[in-house]
Amino acid sequence: MSQGVFDTVVLAHHEEIFRYLRRAIGAGGDAEDLSQETFLRAYRAFGALPRDANVRAWLFSIATNLAKNYFRSETRRRRAYGEVRATMRESTGPAAEAELQSRETGALVENIVQRLPLKQRLAFTQRKIHGLEYDAIGQSLGCSAESARAHVFQALRKIRQGLDGHGRVSEEPPR
Amino acid sequence: MTDTPTACARIAEDLLAAAIGEASPTAAERVERHVARCGSCRREFDGFRALDGTVAALRREALPSGQVAHAREQLETRLADLRRRLLAYRIFPSALGHILIARSELGIALVEYLDRGTSLRSSRLGREPGVEAVEGGPELEAAYRDLLEYLTGRRRRFEWPLDLRLARSDFQRSVLHATSAIPYGAVVSYAGLAHDVGKASASRAVAQALRWNPLPIVIPCHRVIGTSGALTGYAGSKLGLKQRLLSVEGIPTTVGSIAPSIRSEAMYVLYPGDREYCVPTCSSLGTRRPAPLTRFALREHAEAAGFMPCTACRPDLHPISR
């Protein structure tokens, strides 16, 4: 096991994976812990990784799996759903209107992203925040590149709807 | 002229792709022509383009450095702990049956004959406390190749860094170190080795330490035999393997007997501290005890280990005939 090489991997990618997981599971979640878990898993498998592998995409797919497993726990799903409902009530109340107007659009986008269904949120974040290829995103989500692209487009449409105040953002609980 | 709603619906996908810069040149052109004459699609296009700009700004936003530093620090601690206990292994076929080779980041930590299957389940690795085993990669293949070269007589030394943490005690480690010093093509007795580690009366404990040698072949415990010349034991009950490894190194053993032994009459001898090796009948040996002797099958191996022919019995002029 080449210690020096893996140190370089941590140095190059840890912050980005941490940022990804914060969006994937929400800032209040266990993003820090999952970012560590991502690299511990990576370290275990690093020796067997083909030399020409795309290390960055591989790390994203490990992190994505951890995020999916994280939400598989029923209690977490309920809790996340509860948080979403609370946020939505707040953002549609009259007092919130003024606040929303004064908030930066970016923060509003982040807020809507948090309420997207899990696969859309993961695909959107990988593509639009981290610039990954659809092939890699599809692999991480266990779907085709075309489906990954459809998730991203769907996410963009919902974010636009949310921004315009037309229609409602999906009420599906994150999965 | 304005397009019909059907035309708008048909172009919706390309419109979004074009707004975020992912459309092919032809699709982008089609969208451009369409939005030039369709006001609602123009607004749609501009909306997506603005959103793309907002998202691009999010991409550049950094996390507070304190949070990143904290997460990194925690990661380093957990990684250091994992590194200490992780062993990467591979299982290879060989003329001696399936062999598991495992290494840590310090070096090769385990070479194990698997006699009850070909998976990790039949290895002691899964039962070692504080060890986490994972399937390893190509770095273990180099070790396997070296091992095969040794088994076919094309290699005499292993230049691997070793990790002796699977040894059970400091005493075992000292026995393993002393065993590593036995030259290729030579044998010593358990009693002789006990003498080397400063516990002359502990030959049974030495034998027990070698029984659990985590690195057979690499740490050549097959070169340690009984004082009488009997092969005694190897890795439990694998005397046949011991005989085979000795024959790789040119050491003659009695064939076909129930208790195989080396043919000591056909081997050169060396006393500890001496620089010269002798034929076993050399008069200079006198009545010295045989226990601490090192025996060589071939002059070539004695000389490769840095020893000279005795000037009294002249093994260079009168070699042992086999």
Side-chain angles (χ1 to χ4, degrees):
Chain A
M1 233 155 293
S2 27
Q3 178 172 357
V5 179
F6 197 76
D7 284 342
T8 324
V9 171
V10 172
L11 206 60
H13 303 293
H14 176 248
E15 181 172 349
E16 189 179 21
I17 292 293
F18 183 27
R19 289 176 62 200
Y20 169 59
L21 283 165
R22 272 173 57 98
R23 284 199 174 83
I25 68 168
D30 301 321
E32 182 181 311
D33 187 54
L34 288 195
S35 78
Q36 291 156 15
E37 196 53 45
T38 301
F39 282 86
L40 295 177
R41 285 198 184 189
Y43 185 71
R44 290 184 180 97
F46 193 59
L49 188 71
R51 270 164 212 204
D52 58 349
N54 179 344
V55 174
R56 181 166 170 264
W58 176 64
L59 290 169
F60 267 94
S61 88
I62 297 174
T64 302
N65 266 317
L66 286 171
K68 286 189 334 202
N69 289 341
Y70 180 81
F71 285 111
R72 235 162 245 158
S73 148
E74 190 65 20
T75 36
R76 286 198 185 111
R77 203 165 77 186
R78 288 229 180 91
R79 199 166 59 218
Y81 185 46
E83 279 165 13
V84 168
R85 295 301 296 257
T87 322
M88 287 181 66
R89 271 198 300 279
E90 191 185 298
S91 62
T92 50
E97 290 301 313
E99 190 202 326
L100 284 188
Q101 278 165 13
S102 67
R103 269 161 81 181
E104 281 183 41
T105 329
L108 187 52
V109 170
E110 293 280 26
N111 198 294
I112 300 168
V113 168
Q114 287 306 304
R115 282 181 275 152
L116 291 172
L118 184 63
K119 279 199 174 178
Q120 289 175 19
R121 185 163 76 245
L122 296 176
F124 169 82
T125 308
Q126 286 192 56
R127 177 67 188 171
K128 299 306 294 178
I129 303 291
H130 298 283
L132 266 74
E133 298 298 329
Y134 286 121
D135 279 340
I137 301 171
Q139 265 169 31
S140 80
L141 291 173
C143 65
S144 66
E146 288 71 32
S147 302
R149 185 170 180 268
H151 284 312
V152 174
F153 276 36
Q154 200 53 30
L156 284 165
R157 290 203 168 92
K158 285 187 182 165
I159 296 168
R160 264 222 65 203
Q161 283 172 2
L163 284 177
D164 281 357
H166 300 312
R168 290 175 62 98
V169 174
S170 166
E171 283 200 29
E172 273 181 73
R175 259 168 296 145
Chain B
M1 188 189 97
T2 52
D3 284 338
T4 62
T6 329
C8 296
R10 258 206 312 272
I11 211 159
E13 186 82 2
D14 283 344
L15 182 139
L16 174 47
I20 63 170
E22 290 189 7
S24 68
T26 29
E29 224 170 87
R30 207 160 50 234
V31 170
E32 205 172 305
R33 278 200 306 273
H34 177 84
V35 299
R37 53 183 189 252
C38 176
S40 66
C41 284
R42 172 91 252 171
R43 280 191 298 280
E44 192 73 357
F45 182 85
D46 290 343
F48 278 124
R49 175 152 284 187
L51 172 58
D52 205 45
T54 307
V55 171
L58 293 181
R59 185 189 289 205
R60 289 187 293 272
E61 251 171 43
L63 284 175
S65 64
Q67 275 186 27
V68 177
H70 182 261
R72 174 75 53 83
E73 211 173 284
Q74 298 283 310
L75 170 60
E76 294 297 349
T77 309
R78 291 176 71 184
L79 256 183
D81 172 62
L82 179 61
R83 284 177 156 156
R84 266 194 299 276
R85 55 200 166 76
L86 201 67
L87 289 183
Y89 74 92
R90 290 274 298 271
I91 295 168
F92 300 100
S94 84
L96 309 180
H98 280 81
I99 290 183
L100 177 145
I101 307 177
R103 67 165 299 154
S104 70
E105 61 183 24
L106 297 179
I108 300 287
L110 182 67
V111 171
E112 185 184 13
Y113 302 112
L114 298 184
D115 32 338
R116 285 185 301 275
T118 56
S119 74
L120 185 64
R121 274 203 306 273
S122 41
S123 163
R124 65 186 262 198
L125 202 53
R127 296 186 294 274
E128 289 289 341
V131 164
E132 188 180 325
V134 292
E135 198 148 347
E139 80 273 15
L140 288 165
E141 273 162 31
Y144 171 58
R145 275 197 301 277
D146 286 357
L147 217 52
L148 286 187
E149 282 179 19
Y150 167 82
L151 292 175
T152 49
R154 287 175 292 140
R155 168 176 293 276
R156 293 184 178 183
R157 304 177 51 85
F158 296 97
E159 314 285 350
W160 308 343
L162 300 182
D163 176 355
L164 285 182
R165 284 177 304 170
L166 286 183
R168 297 178 172 202
S169 63
D170 288 343
F171 174 70
Q172 190 187 12
R173 266 182 283 275
S174 71
V175 171
L176 295 174
H177 278 300
T179 306
S180 298
I182 306 171
Y184 184 91
V187 289
V188 303
S189 68
Y190 292 103
L193 201 60
H195 186 267
D196 286 349
V197 297
K199 301 213 167 176
S201 60
S203 50
R204 264 174 203 285
V206 164
Q208 201 58 24
L210 291 181
R211 180 186 169 94
W212 296 109
N213 175 9
L215 292 157
I217 304 179
V218 187
I219 293 179
C221 57
H222 58 276
R223 295 178 197 152
V224 188
I225 58 171
T227 307
S228 67
L231 301 195
T232 338
Y234 185 60
S237 54
K238 300 188 184 64
L239 268 190
L241 288 188
K242 189 172 191 172
Q243 202 164 5
R244 197 153 169 177
L245 292 173
L246 291 174
S247 79
V248 165
E249 299 185 19
I251 296 167
T253 54
T254 55
V255 184
S257 79
I258 310 164
S261 63
I262 57 157
R263 289 175 49 220
S264 41
E265 78 286 357
M267 295 181 77
Y268 300 95
V269 297
L270 176 85
Y271 263 94
D274 282 4
R275 300 307 306 158
E276 295 181 351
Y277 67 93
C278 309
V279 296
T281 50
C282 177
S283 57
S284 76
L285 296 174
T287 55
R288 294 209 266 183
R289 288 186 312 114
L293 280 178
T294 300
R295 298 178 193 272
F296 285 96
L298 303 171
R299 287 180 47 220
E300 174 204 347
H301 292 156
E303 283 168 27
F307 302 107
M308 313 284 285
C310 167
T311 45
C313 65
R314 297 304 300 266
D316 49 334
L317 298 182
H318 311 288
I320 300 171
S321 59
R322 286 259 182 97

